[in-house]
Amino acid sequence: MTARKPLGDAARAARKEALLDEASREFNRRGVASADLAKIAARVGFSRASLYNYCKDREDLARQTYLRACMALDRSLTRASNLSGSALDRVETFLRLALEFDEAPRSVLNEVGYLPASYQAEVRAARAANVERLGDLLKRGIVDGSVRDCDP
């Protein structure tokens, strides 16, 4: 067995990102159940069969797009949390980062219930971690006086 070459790994990662970009667009546009996997594959230059080199099935592809969206929000939360200033400044920075136009398309997590239970649990845990981190920022804002007293 030969090891993969770094360039091959980078090319595979780029193809996967292109697939997740297009799948996110399609899922947001048509929904997971109604998405046309053949069209997703064709838009990124894959055959439908080659799509399965990157995912097991429709549900796994949706899971991957949902988790990627959660990871992107996590990165934005991390960047914002590491800045100086008030907690409200950090929340504003998080929102600005999360809504940047040049970011990869993100799947809206509105069909998590469509996924098998194990995938649902994984996505819900990632989402809950982001919600908790944002809540922690708001709590810090209440303490530092930059956010009015509320239930984060």
Side-chain angles (χ1 to χ4, degrees), residues 64-74 106-109 130:
Q64 289 183 50
T65 65
Y66 286 170
L67 289 174
R68 185 175 77 151
C70 290
M71 288 187 296
L73 289 175
D74 178 68
R106 294 183 187 154
S107 282
V108 178
L109 281 62
N130 286 338

Side-chain angles (χ1 to χ4, degrees), residues 11-65:
R12 179 174 171 76
R15 287 189 301 272
K16 182 174 182 176
E17 286 302 308
L19 172 62
L20 294 178
D21 287 352
E22 191 55 44
S24 293
R25 286 186 199 96
E26 181 76 1
F27 293 156
N28 290 343
R29 186 173 31 245
R30 299 185 51 151
V32 174
S34 298
D36 188 329
L37 297 184
K39 284 183 181 176
I40 293 170
R43 286 185 194 125
V44 292
F46 293 174
S47 67
R48 181 166 173 161
S50 66
L51 176 116
Y52 297 104
N53 290 320
Y54 299 90
C55 62
K56 290 188 259 181
D57 52 26
R58 173 185 307 270
E59 293 81 10
D60 181 46
L61 185 58
R63 176 189 68 86
Q64 289 183 50
T65 65

Side-chain angles (χ1 to χ4, degrees), residues 81-115:
S81 295
N82 290 333
L83 298 175
S84 60
S86 72
L88 182 59
D89 293 335
R90 293 177 183 145
V91 170
E92 289 174 357
T93 298
F94 162 69
L95 292 172
R96 193 171 32 261
L97 292 170
L99 298 173
E100 284 183 339
F101 286 110
D102 60 346
E103 285 287 316
R106 294 183 187 154
S107 282
V108 178
L109 281 62
N110 61 352
E111 291 184 275
V112 176
Y114 176 82
L115 303 176

